[in-house]
């Protein structure tokens, strides 16, 4: 049996394996009653109908909602369907159904950076809460799809793309070799890709960089620039200038499928398909003496740190996605003050919170780089009802971090031009310090270049911004 809906217009199409049909039909019915343009193929034992209408379905999808299970992953048909939707730039929402299973292989490569809905453990009691998260994402995508569809049928404006990519592809891989030192053993690692940046990206080059599975985003010449997996410049935002001194942080939000651009006074969403910026209106500074410091995202939350100028007042704020609805706010000094006690319960007055540089999220944990007294630390917190202190790491100097989720590791690099970085395990159960040679490896750039930034790219790679070049290394 097949639903009788005519695919003359575009629909939100459900893609699922037959053994999950009962749950998927229930979700479909709920969203249908909410007047959303959902479409489902009720599968029979042989799946003939859905195979025969595959081309028609793909050509009329506005959003593809995938319900991920091991059976779904082993299906060649579903692989073809999802890959086809990805090629056509159709938004994909991945719904996870099983608590003790994660996608792997082709499914993990495609869905790791997608909008994800957690439907694990869905039951009668939590059905509305979990399904409404899917509903909110569908509505948000439908509301924001008109601009993308218009751009897909109109010529791209010159201000949005650098058609003549003037970057220089280098031939000598030895030019960007790294020397890794681990347990007194040295090995040389060659890059897999490397390219000199175009001239219009090199001026006022920021040390901030962020990646998703498709793009690398940097800031240069007071504009944002997107590069593809081959390190070719594909698009720049020339509509709005963002001065290097105003830019505070870059983040990727898989929930919204957008980059987040944090400046001192504003927060923007950047559409990766158009490079256009839109202000997030729901987050406003309440005082002209306040500034944004750093930000990051989890699957369903947005986190930002603000500060009161000329004071040690730093605040951690949490917002719900996709609406950026305010949830809670803490003063950071309140949940680190116990770590400043030295002897007999007395606070050391020389250990004030002087500065915060960066905020990062990983697996229900926060990593905050802060200066206390004259020293820089990474503080780790677990996100309970309020952030709960786990441990801190003493740093050699002012530094930034990149978290490699796939390896459960941490990259530490200087917040200024240097020729080395540290890679270490995210071992938060046991005490470790960066000066313990057994717990980390140190990599040196084996030429006269200077490292600006590092970001994790496509799960198994690192992208380094070295001088005026982008360089990719295999992890």
């Amino acid at each position: 049996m097949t639903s009788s809906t005519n695919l003359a217009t575009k629909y939100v199409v459900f893609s699922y394996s037959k053994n999950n049909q009962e749950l998927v039909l229930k979700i479909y019915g709920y969203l249908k009653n909410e007047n959303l343009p959902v479409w489902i193929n009720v599968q029979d034992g042989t799946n003939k109908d859905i195979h025969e209408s595959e081309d028609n379905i793909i050509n009329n999808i506005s959003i593809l909602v995938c319900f991920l299970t091991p059976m779904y992953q082993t299906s060649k048909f579903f692989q073809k369907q999802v890959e086809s939707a990805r090629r056509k730039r159709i938004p994909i929402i991945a719904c996870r159904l099983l608590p003790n299973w994660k996608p792997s292989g082709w499914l993990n490569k495609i869905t790791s950076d997608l909008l994800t809905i957690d439907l694990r453990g869905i039951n009668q009691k939590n059905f509305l809460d979990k399904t409404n998260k899917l509903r909110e994402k569908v509505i948000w995508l439908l509301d924001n799809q008109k601009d993308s569809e218009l751009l897909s049928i109109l010529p791209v404006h010159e201000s949005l793309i650098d058609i003549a990519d003037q970057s220089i592809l280098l031939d000598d891989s030895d030019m960007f070799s790294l020397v890794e030192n681990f347990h007194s053993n040295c090995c040389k690692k060659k890059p897999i890709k490397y390219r000199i940046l175009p001239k219009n990206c090199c001026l006022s080059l920021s040390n901030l960089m962020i990646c998703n599975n498709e793009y690398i985003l940097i800031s240069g010449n007071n504009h944002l620039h997107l590069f593809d997996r081959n390190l070719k410049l594909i698009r720049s935002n020339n509509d709005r200038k963002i001065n290097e001194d105003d830019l505070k942080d870059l983040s990727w939000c898989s929930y919204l499928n957008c980059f987040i651009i944090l400046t001192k006074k504003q927060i923007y969403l950047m559409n990766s398909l158009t490079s256009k910026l839109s202000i997030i209106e729901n987050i406003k500074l309440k005082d002209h003496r306040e500034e944004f410091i750093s930000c990051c995202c989890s699957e369903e939350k947005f986190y930002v740190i603000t500060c009161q100028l000329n004071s040690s007042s730093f605040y951690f704020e949490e917002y719900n996605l996709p609406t950026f609805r305010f949830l809670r706010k803490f003063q950071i000094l309140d949940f680190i003050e116990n770590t400043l006690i030295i002897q007999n319960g007395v606070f050391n007055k020389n250990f004030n919170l002087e500065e915060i540089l960066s905020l990062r999220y990983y697996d229900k944990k926060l990593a905050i780089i802060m200066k206390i007294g004259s020293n820089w630390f990474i503080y780790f917190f677990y996100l309970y009802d309020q952030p709960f202190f786990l441990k801190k790491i003493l740093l050699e100097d002012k530094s930034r971090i990149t978290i490699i989720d796939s390896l459960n590791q941490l990259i530490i690099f200087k917040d200024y031009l240097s020729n080395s970085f540290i890679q270490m395990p995210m071992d938060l159960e046991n005490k470790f310090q960066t000066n313990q040679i057994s717990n980390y490896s140190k990599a040196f750039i084996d030429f006269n270049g200077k490292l600006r930034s590092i970001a994790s790219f496509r799960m198994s790679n690192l992208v380094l911004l070295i001088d005026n070049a982008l360089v990719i290394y295999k992890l």
Side-chain angles (χ1 to χ4, degrees):
M1 168 182 180
T2 307
S3 64
S4 59
T5 306
N6 185 355
L7 284 175
T9 57
K10 292 198 171 185
Y11 284 85
V12 178
V13 173
F14 284 10
S15 176
Y16 67 100
S17 59
K18 186 184 176 184
N19 58 339
N20 301 114
Q21 184 165 285
E22 182 179 352
L23 171 61
V24 174
L25 280 173
K26 187 176 179 182
I27 295 172
Y28 164 80
Y30 175 75
L31 297 183
K32 186 75 173 175
N33 289 335
E34 294 290 311
N35 295 318
L36 291 174
V38 288
W39 188 91
I40 189 171
N41 188 299
V42 181
Q43 303 174 18
D44 61 16
T46 60
N47 264 357
K48 287 180 181 178
D49 290 330
I50 195 167
H51 280 273
E52 290 170 357
S53 60
E54 175 191 348
D55 292 336
N56 191 29
I57 291 172
I58 287 292
N59 290 331
N60 290 280
I61 293 178
S62 62
I63 301 170
L64 184 68
V65 181
C66 305
F67 294 86
L68 309 185
T69 63
M71 185 173 291
Y72 188 93
Q73 179 173 289
T74 58
S75 168
K76 295 294 183 183
F77 167 71
F78 290 128
Q79 180 177 355
K80 184 178 178 181
Q81 186 185 58
V82 173
E83 289 175 346
S84 177
R86 186 72 177 237
R87 284 194 304 272
K88 294 175 182 289
R89 295 181 178 268
I90 295 169
I92 303 172
I93 300 177
C95 297
R96 294 185 61 183
L97 298 181
L98 301 179
N100 298 317
W101 175 82
K102 290 184 177 181
S104 59
W106 71 267
L107 189 58
N108 181 60
K109 288 179 181 178
I110 290 179
T111 62
S112 60
D113 67 330
L114 294 180
L115 305 173
T116 304
I117 291 288
D118 186 2
L119 297 181
R120 293 172 294 182
I122 190 170
N123 53 44
Q124 188 173 353
K125 289 184 178 180
N126 61 25
F127 177 82
L128 287 180
D129 287 340
K130 287 183 175 287
T131 307
N132 275 329
K133 292 185 182 298
L134 174 59
R135 173 181 167 273
E136 287 178 1
K137 286 190 178 182
V138 168
I139 291 173
W140 187 89
L141 281 173
L142 291 175
D143 287 344
N144 287 273
Q145 212 168 56
K146 293 178 182 178
D147 290 340
S148 296
E149 289 176 354
L150 181 62
L151 280 160
S152 68
I153 61 175
L154 291 176
V156 180
H157 192 273
E158 289 180 0
S159 66
L160 296 178
I161 188 166
D162 187 348
I163 298 174
D165 177 23
Q166 299 172 349
S167 58
I168 303 171
L169 187 61
L170 302 174
D171 296 325
D172 183 9
S173 62
D174 287 316
M175 182 175 179
F176 288 109
S177 292
L178 290 180
V179 175
E180 290 189 319
N181 188 338
F182 184 68
H183 286 179
S184 300
N185 296 320
C186 290
C187 65
K188 181 173 282 191
K189 179 180 288 188
K190 293 184 179 182
I192 58 176
K193 291 176 184 175
Y194 34 91
R195 190 181 289 264
I196 299 294
L197 296 175
K199 291 181 181 179
N200 65 324
C201 300
C202 296
L203 298 176
S204 303
L205 193 59
S206 169
N207 63 348
L208 295 174
M209 176 172 61
I210 192 68
C211 305
N212 61 10
N213 269 8
E214 295 294 329
Y215 302 115
I216 302 162
L217 179 65
I218 68 170
S219 173
N221 198 23
N222 298 323
H223 293 283
L224 299 165
H225 309 282
L226 275 175
F227 293 79
D228 65 11
R229 66 185 70 180
N230 293 314
L231 304 183
K232 291 189 66 175
L233 176 65
I234 60 168
R235 200 168 294 118
S236 297
N237 176 274
N238 294 327
D239 293 343
R240 186 189 299 268
K241 272 193 173 185
I242 296 181
N243 294 329
E244 181 187 8
D245 292 338
D246 286 335
L247 182 64
K248 299 299 292 184
D249 210 349
L250 302 173
S251 182
W252 168 251
C253 181
S254 59
Y255 197 121
L256 301 176
N257 204 29
C258 286
F259 290 100
I260 295 180
I261 316 300
L262 189 78
T263 67
K264 289 180 180 179
K265 299 294 184 180
Q266 297 283 3
I267 309 178
Y268 301 92
L269 287 178
M270 178 178 171
N271 187 320
S272 58
L273 298 180
T274 67
S275 293
K276 285 192 173 182
L277 298 180
S278 58
I279 294 177
I280 299 175
E281 299 288 353
N282 288 4
I283 306 179
K284 297 285 188 182
L285 294 171
K286 298 177 177 61
D287 192 304
H288 71 277
R289 293 170 296 178
E290 285 185 311
E291 286 187 357
F292 294 115
I293 297 296
S294 184
C295 69
C296 61
C297 295
S298 66
E299 290 183 353
E300 299 179 348
K301 304 286 177 59
F302 173 71
Y303 309 103
V304 65
I305 289 178
T306 63
C307 76
Q308 195 83 15
L309 295 178
N310 302 319
S311 75
S312 58
S313 298
F314 294 87
Y315 297 92
F316 169 81
E317 299 180 9
E318 182 178 318
Y319 295 84
N320 200 39
L321 293 172
T323 59
F324 292 98
R325 177 173 58 86
F326 175 78
L327 294 177
R328 55 182 179 167
K329 179 177 181 178
F330 300 103
Q331 186 166 358
I332 289 179
L333 194 59
D334 289 344
F335 50 80
I336 69 165
E337 60 184 4
N338 289 339
T339 69
L340 306 181
I341 296 176
I342 50 171
Q343 291 181 350
N344 302 321
V346 178
F347 286 92
N348 188 332
K349 295 182 179 179
N350 295 321
F351 285 77
N352 292 325
L353 176 56
E354 303 286 346
E355 185 179 346
I356 290 182
L357 179 65
S358 179
L359 169 70
R360 292 295 177 259
Y361 173 88
Y362 169 71
D363 191 26
K364 297 181 180 179
K365 302 177 186 69
L366 292 174
I368 304 178
I369 297 179
M370 60 183 81
K371 184 181 181 182
I372 297 178
S374 60
N375 294 317
W376 284 92
F377 296 88
I378 308 175
Y379 271 70
F380 292 94
F381 302 91
Y382 196 93
L383 282 173
Y384 287 114
D385 291 336
Q386 67 176 31
F388 174 78
F389 172 73
L390 288 172
K391 65 166 49 178
K392 62 183 178 181
I393 303 174
L394 176 65
L395 299 173
E396 294 178 356
D397 207 341
K398 188 176 184 179
S399 304
R400 292 187 179 271
I401 59 173
T402 289
I403 296 173
I404 310 172
D405 293 4
S406 58
L407 298 181
N408 194 33
Q409 290 186 346
L410 189 69
I411 300 285
I412 303 172
F413 58 98
K414 300 292 192 300
D415 188 44
Y416 52 82
L417 296 179
S418 66
N419 71 338
S420 65
F421 62 89
I422 289 172
Q423 186 170 337
M424 62 194 306
M426 286 277 289
D427 182 6
L428 299 181
E429 302 300 324
N430 302 305
K431 291 185 178 180
F432 61 90
Q433 297 290 339
T434 56
N435 60 355
Q436 295 177 339
I437 192 78
S438 61
N439 287 325
Y440 75 94
S441 64
K442 193 165 188 176
F444 297 89
I445 299 170
D446 192 25
F447 51 93
N448 292 325
K450 297 297 184 181
L451 176 65
R452 294 179 183 271
S453 189
I454 303 178
S456 177
F457 184 51
R458 299 180 63 82
M459 296 188 67
S460 59
N461 299 322
L462 279 182
V463 179
L464 274 65
L465 181 56
I466 302 174
D467 289 331
N468 295 330
L470 286 171
V471 191
I472 298 182
Y473 297 90
K474 195 80 173 175
L475 286 169

